[in-house]
Amino acid sequence: MTAKGKDHILIFDTTLRDGEQSPGATMTFEEKIEVAELLDDMGVDIIEAGFPIASQGDFDAVSEIARRAKKATIAGLARAISGDIARAGDAVKHAVNPRIHTFVSTSPIHLEFQMRKSEEEVLEIIAATVTQARNLVEDVEWSAMDATRTSVEYLSKCVDAAIKAGATTINLPDTVGYSVPNEIRDMFIKVRENVANADKAVFSAHCHNDLGLAVANSLAAADGGVRQIECTINGLGERAGNAALEEIVMAIKTRSDVLSYTTGVDATMLTRASKLVSAVSSFPVQYNKAIVGRNAFAHESGIHQDGMLKNQETFEIMTPQSVGAGKTSLVMGKHSGRHAFVTKLEELGYKLSDNAFEDAFVRFKDLADRKKHVYDEDIEALVDEKIATAEDRVRMVSLTVIAGTVGQQSATLTLDVDGEHKTVQTIGNGPVDATFNAIHAIIPHDATLALYQVHAVTEGTDAQAEVSVRLKDEETGSSATGRAADPDTMAASAKAYLSALNKLEVRKQRGRAFSAPEQDLDREARRGP
Ligand code: KIV
Ligand code: ZN
């Protein structure tokens, strides 16, 4: 029994109430309004805006959300206490569709230790509090806290009492995330069979994720007759959280062949909602989170990337666009194959000859082995550097730099000069100076350093350093700039210096071999900065 037909599932979002109960997820008044407006726009049916008795701030937020909501029903939570119910009624009264959501514990353990009340006393409380709420608003939801650890017999009596008192929605929560799918489905089937007036209310599931089963349990509950699912954006909520709204919505949408339900949620707004809730709650979304995690539509393995390039459906069951997530990303990493790399190069506007491609691919794999994330900028830097150095006659073979606070900084450098390896060890005033002195020791030249600049191409401590070096040839007056990128700043510095030097030399006299240093390398090496 729902307003929208038997297969329509009402989405009840409790991000602003149960979600906000996550330790550390407190939101400001303005943030709550922003989240509520987005939820309303995306087609959430019921927004539980807060717990009005909890604080003046909660009351004000619920009340403002109630005034602003365009379509959604606005619910305020209340314990089975007269003052709570009055306060909740007051907070939601300006909503187009106001709801009071009142709850009481029903399980033996809660009755004994938390409530210290008998089953009969709780039945009386249910009748009295639901009646009070129903006198304030037409739409009353009653919840049996810890329902899944309550006997079906007693739970049925409670539900009967709540419906008789006027509850229009009956929520049977898996408060401690203890249930499993078959069990929760059977619980709903049995309670609905036991209660004579069950068809007078919409049954609702509210599942916690302590065993990672919140979404599965919610969908199983739908199989048991539930037509309202309570959930939160990003699965935010007490302890391990609640069922994730985005997962419920997309499971129903993607598997409509076996889940014959609909929801009114505009799935293309899911990513936006996830980002907003993550930002205002300061709860990061785990990278591999279903639907909204940053890796949800990212593929790194060569086999997967190859499949995706041939047909997206090989490894994607829904499109990123369907959840508002932009486009599929083929993450370039050590598992990426040639197919993905050539596609990425084309995307970045490069057309390389077969040899240049093979060379770039080998160097890309080498970089991916050393670096966790290979971004587009890394690939550009890698290819650009190669293009710039294709004609170089001096290349770096190896570099070892000793830096730090103890002892003098030194560099041991081996260069390939016209096919001949030359090695030198130099000291310097810092690692960069030691490195440049080493180059000078192997290739004596008159050029002076006019610019030295380092910046990180991408984020993170393993980012590629991109170094620019400008050298001025004092003899001819011309300058040349060399750029190089490498996760090692010293290696990038040496390569950039050599690139500039190569350019100057090519400009000066193409074809003239570099002269090996005349002087004793050891003596040169000891030359200070
Ligand atoms: O988990 C729970 O039982 C609740 C109720 C207040 C509905 O959040
Ligand atoms: Zn809860």
PDB file of all heavy atoms in Angstrom, residues 146 148-149 174-180 183 208-211 213 217 239:
ATOM      1  N   ASP A 146      15.239  -2.245  17.831  1.00  0.00           N
ATOM      2  CA  ASP A 146      15.770  -3.594  18.018  1.00  0.00           C
ATOM      3  C   ASP A 146      14.738  -4.661  17.651  1.00  0.00           C
ATOM      4  O   ASP A 146      14.695  -5.739  18.256  1.00  0.00           O
ATOM      5  CB  ASP A 146      16.272  -3.786  19.464  1.00  0.00           C
ATOM      6  CG  ASP A 146      17.382  -4.841  19.544  1.00  0.00           C
ATOM      7  OD1 ASP A 146      17.943  -5.201  18.485  1.00  0.00           O
ATOM      8  OD2 ASP A 146      17.677  -5.309  20.661  1.00  0.00           O
ATOM      9  N   THR A 148      14.593  -6.692  15.183  1.00  0.00           N
ATOM     10  CA  THR A 148      15.068  -7.998  14.699  1.00  0.00           C
ATOM     11  C   THR A 148      15.523  -8.908  15.837  1.00  0.00           C
ATOM     12  O   THR A 148      15.783 -10.095  15.611  1.00  0.00           O
ATOM     13  CB  THR A 148      16.227  -7.821  13.684  1.00  0.00           C
ATOM     14  OG1 THR A 148      17.222  -6.996  14.279  1.00  0.00           O
ATOM     15  CG2 THR A 148      15.735  -7.200  12.394  1.00  0.00           C
ATOM     16  N   ARG A 149      15.610  -8.389  17.074  1.00  0.00           N
ATOM     17  CA  ARG A 149      15.915  -9.271  18.213  1.00  0.00           C
ATOM     18  C   ARG A 149      14.695  -9.373  19.142  1.00  0.00           C
ATOM     19  O   ARG A 149      14.826  -9.630  20.341  1.00  0.00           O
ATOM     20  CB  ARG A 149      17.149  -8.767  18.965  1.00  0.00           C
ATOM     21  CG  ARG A 149      18.422  -8.905  18.111  1.00  0.00           C
ATOM     22  CD  ARG A 149      19.680  -8.746  18.922  1.00  0.00           C
ATOM     23  NE  ARG A 149      19.748  -7.421  19.531  1.00  0.00           N
ATOM     24  CZ  ARG A 149      20.665  -7.079  20.433  1.00  0.00           C
ATOM     25  NH1 ARG A 149      21.565  -7.966  20.833  1.00  0.00           N
ATOM     26  NH2 ARG A 149      20.689  -5.856  20.948  1.00  0.00           N
ATOM     27  N   ASP A 174      16.566  -3.094  11.991  1.00  0.00           N
ATOM     28  CA  ASP A 174      17.620  -3.999  12.433  1.00  0.00           C
ATOM     29  C   ASP A 174      18.649  -3.072  13.102  1.00  0.00           C
ATOM     30  O   ASP A 174      19.701  -2.766  12.540  1.00  0.00           O
ATOM     31  CB  ASP A 174      18.217  -4.729  11.228  1.00  0.00           C
ATOM     32  CG  ASP A 174      19.227  -5.791  11.641  1.00  0.00           C
ATOM     33  OD1 ASP A 174      19.154  -6.248  12.802  1.00  0.00           O
ATOM     34  OD2 ASP A 174      20.087  -6.157  10.818  1.00  0.00           O
ATOM     35  N   THR A 175      18.285  -2.650  14.293  1.00  0.00           N
ATOM     36  CA  THR A 175      19.024  -1.593  14.984  1.00  0.00           C
ATOM     37  C   THR A 175      20.495  -1.915  15.194  1.00  0.00           C
ATOM     38  O   THR A 175      21.353  -1.034  15.111  1.00  0.00           O
ATOM     39  CB  THR A 175      18.344  -1.329  16.352  1.00  0.00           C
ATOM     40  OG1 THR A 175      16.984  -1.009  16.089  1.00  0.00           O
ATOM     41  CG2 THR A 175      19.003  -0.212  17.124  1.00  0.00           C
ATOM     42  N   VAL A 176      20.790  -3.182  15.467  1.00  0.00           N
ATOM     43  CA  VAL A 176      22.186  -3.534  15.762  1.00  0.00           C
ATOM     44  C   VAL A 176      22.860  -4.269  14.594  1.00  0.00           C
ATOM     45  O   VAL A 176      23.936  -4.829  14.756  1.00  0.00           O
ATOM     46  CB  VAL A 176      22.269  -4.377  17.067  1.00  0.00           C
ATOM     47  CG1 VAL A 176      21.945  -3.513  18.262  1.00  0.00           C
ATOM     48  CG2 VAL A 176      21.343  -5.587  17.004  1.00  0.00           C
ATOM     49  N   GLY A 177      22.213  -4.263  13.428  1.00  0.00           N
ATOM     50  CA  GLY A 177      22.817  -4.866  12.239  1.00  0.00           C
ATOM     51  C   GLY A 177      23.097  -6.347  12.411  1.00  0.00           C
ATOM     52  O   GLY A 177      24.141  -6.848  11.991  1.00  0.00           O
ATOM     53  N   TYR A 178      22.143  -7.059  13.024  1.00  0.00           N
ATOM     54  CA  TYR A 178      22.352  -8.451  13.415  1.00  0.00           C
ATOM     55  C   TYR A 178      21.716  -9.429  12.434  1.00  0.00           C
ATOM     56  O   TYR A 178      22.125 -10.578  12.323  1.00  0.00           O
ATOM     57  CB  TYR A 178      21.727  -8.624  14.808  1.00  0.00           C
ATOM     58  CG  TYR A 178      21.809  -9.994  15.403  1.00  0.00           C
ATOM     59  CD1 TYR A 178      23.037 -10.522  15.810  1.00  0.00           C
ATOM     60  CD2 TYR A 178      20.662 -10.764  15.574  1.00  0.00           C
ATOM     61  CE1 TYR A 178      23.105 -11.785  16.376  1.00  0.00           C
ATOM     62  CE2 TYR A 178      20.725 -12.032  16.141  1.00  0.00           C
ATOM     63  CZ  TYR A 178      21.954 -12.533  16.539  1.00  0.00           C
ATOM     64  OH  TYR A 178      22.029 -13.772  17.100  1.00  0.00           O
ATOM     65  N   SER A 179      20.729  -8.984  11.709  1.00  0.00           N
ATOM     66  CA  SER A 179      19.926  -9.897  10.893  1.00  0.00           C
ATOM     67  C   SER A 179      20.656 -10.336   9.612  1.00  0.00           C
ATOM     68  O   SER A 179      21.690  -9.759   9.241  1.00  0.00           O
ATOM     69  CB  SER A 179      18.613  -9.207  10.519  1.00  0.00           C
ATOM     70  OG  SER A 179      17.648 -10.174  10.208  1.00  0.00           O
ATOM     71  N   VAL A 180      20.097 -11.351   8.980  1.00  0.00           N
ATOM     72  CA  VAL A 180      20.584 -11.773   7.660  1.00  0.00           C
ATOM     73  C   VAL A 180      19.369 -11.767   6.719  1.00  0.00           C
ATOM     74  O   VAL A 180      18.221 -11.785   7.189  1.00  0.00           O
ATOM     75  CB  VAL A 180      21.250 -13.176   7.708  1.00  0.00           C
ATOM     76  CG1 VAL A 180      22.513 -13.149   8.561  1.00  0.00           C
ATOM     77  CG2 VAL A 180      20.291 -14.234   8.195  1.00  0.00           C
ATOM     78  N   GLU A 183      16.206 -14.055   7.121  1.00  0.00           N
ATOM     79  CA  GLU A 183      15.567 -13.861   8.419  1.00  0.00           C
ATOM     80  C   GLU A 183      14.716 -12.586   8.436  1.00  0.00           C
ATOM     81  O   GLU A 183      13.570 -12.594   8.897  1.00  0.00           O
ATOM     82  CB  GLU A 183      16.689 -13.758   9.460  1.00  0.00           C
ATOM     83  CG  GLU A 183      16.260 -13.810  10.883  1.00  0.00           C
ATOM     84  CD  GLU A 183      17.481 -13.687  11.797  1.00  0.00           C
ATOM     85  OE1 GLU A 183      18.413 -12.920  11.459  1.00  0.00           O
ATOM     86  OE2 GLU A 183      17.492 -14.349  12.835  1.00  0.00           O
ATOM     87  N   HIS A 208      20.978  -1.492   9.839  1.00  0.00           N
ATOM     88  CA  HIS A 208      22.342  -1.036  10.130  1.00  0.00           C
ATOM     89  C   HIS A 208      23.335  -2.034   9.547  1.00  0.00           C
ATOM     90  O   HIS A 208      23.007  -3.189   9.282  1.00  0.00           O
ATOM     91  CB  HIS A 208      22.519  -0.797  11.629  1.00  0.00           C
ATOM     92  CG  HIS A 208      21.985   0.552  12.021  1.00  0.00           C
ATOM     93  ND1 HIS A 208      22.768   1.676  12.033  1.00  0.00           N
ATOM     94  CD2 HIS A 208      20.722   0.951  12.351  1.00  0.00           C
ATOM     95  CE1 HIS A 208      22.013   2.718  12.377  1.00  0.00           C
ATOM     96  NE2 HIS A 208      20.760   2.311  12.579  1.00  0.00           N
ATOM     97  N   ASN A 209      24.563  -1.556   9.391  1.00  0.00           N
ATOM     98  CA  ASN A 209      25.519  -2.295   8.559  1.00  0.00           C
ATOM     99  C   ASN A 209      26.613  -3.018   9.330  1.00  0.00           C
ATOM    100  O   ASN A 209      27.688  -3.246   8.805  1.00  0.00           O
ATOM    101  CB  ASN A 209      26.155  -1.290   7.578  1.00  0.00           C
ATOM    102  CG  ASN A 209      26.641  -1.954   6.324  1.00  0.00           C
ATOM    103  OD1 ASN A 209      26.079  -2.980   5.903  1.00  0.00           O
ATOM    104  ND2 ASN A 209      27.688  -1.418   5.732  1.00  0.00           N
ATOM    105  N   ASP A 210      26.324  -3.380  10.584  1.00  0.00           N
ATOM    106  CA  ASP A 210      27.380  -3.970  11.428  1.00  0.00           C
ATOM    107  C   ASP A 210      28.004  -5.214  10.812  1.00  0.00           C
ATOM    108  O   ASP A 210      29.181  -5.497  11.043  1.00  0.00           O
ATOM    109  CB  ASP A 210      26.805  -4.261  12.817  1.00  0.00           C
ATOM    110  CG  ASP A 210      26.314  -2.972  13.463  1.00  0.00           C
ATOM    111  OD1 ASP A 210      25.327  -2.398  12.957  1.00  0.00           O
ATOM    112  OD2 ASP A 210      26.927  -2.520  14.431  1.00  0.00           O
ATOM    113  N   LEU A 211      27.232  -5.977  10.067  1.00  0.00           N
ATOM    114  CA  LEU A 211      27.794  -7.161   9.397  1.00  0.00           C
ATOM    115  C   LEU A 211      27.942  -6.932   7.885  1.00  0.00           C
ATOM    116  O   LEU A 211      28.107  -7.881   7.124  1.00  0.00           O
ATOM    117  CB  LEU A 211      26.907  -8.382   9.664  1.00  0.00           C
ATOM    118  CG  LEU A 211      26.870  -8.874  11.120  1.00  0.00           C
ATOM    119  CD1 LEU A 211      25.858 -10.006  11.286  1.00  0.00           C
ATOM    120  CD2 LEU A 211      28.252  -9.344  11.574  1.00  0.00           C
ATOM    121  N   LEU A 213      25.623  -6.062   5.906  1.00  0.00           N
ATOM    122  CA  LEU A 213      24.463  -6.629   5.212  1.00  0.00           C
ATOM    123  C   LEU A 213      23.294  -5.650   5.081  1.00  0.00           C
ATOM    124  O   LEU A 213      22.189  -6.038   4.702  1.00  0.00           O
ATOM    125  CB  LEU A 213      23.966  -7.877   5.976  1.00  0.00           C
ATOM    126  CG  LEU A 213      24.924  -9.075   5.954  1.00  0.00           C
ATOM    127  CD1 LEU A 213      24.451 -10.167   6.911  1.00  0.00           C
ATOM    128  CD2 LEU A 213      25.021  -9.639   4.532  1.00  0.00           C
ATOM    129  N   ASN A 217      19.940  -6.747   3.365  1.00  0.00           N
ATOM    130  CA  ASN A 217      18.786  -6.936   4.255  1.00  0.00           C
ATOM    131  C   ASN A 217      17.623  -6.038   3.839  1.00  0.00           C
ATOM    132  O   ASN A 217      16.457  -6.467   3.889  1.00  0.00           O
ATOM    133  CB  ASN A 217      19.186  -6.632   5.705  1.00  0.00           C
ATOM    134  CG  ASN A 217      19.978  -7.784   6.318  1.00  0.00           C
ATOM    135  OD1 ASN A 217      19.938  -8.917   5.834  1.00  0.00           O
ATOM    136  ND2 ASN A 217      20.704  -7.506   7.388  1.00  0.00           N
ATOM    137  N   ARG A 239      27.631   3.697  14.285  1.00  0.00           N
ATOM    138  CA  ARG A 239      28.623   2.604  14.186  1.00  0.00           C
ATOM    139  C   ARG A 239      29.042   2.363  12.721  1.00  0.00           C
ATOM    140  O   ARG A 239      29.636   3.228  12.112  1.00  0.00           O
ATOM    141  CB  ARG A 239      28.076   1.325  14.832  1.00  0.00           C
ATOM    142  CG  ARG A 239      27.634   1.492  16.284  1.00  0.00           C
ATOM    143  CD  ARG A 239      27.154   0.178  16.840  1.00  0.00           C
ATOM    144  NE  ARG A 239      26.194  -0.471  15.972  1.00  0.00           N
ATOM    145  CZ  ARG A 239      24.905  -0.145  15.902  1.00  0.00           C
ATOM    146  NH1 ARG A 239      24.403   0.779  16.701  1.00  0.00           N
ATOM    147  NH2 ARG A 239      24.112  -0.760  15.048  1.00  0.00           N
TER     148      ARG A 239
END
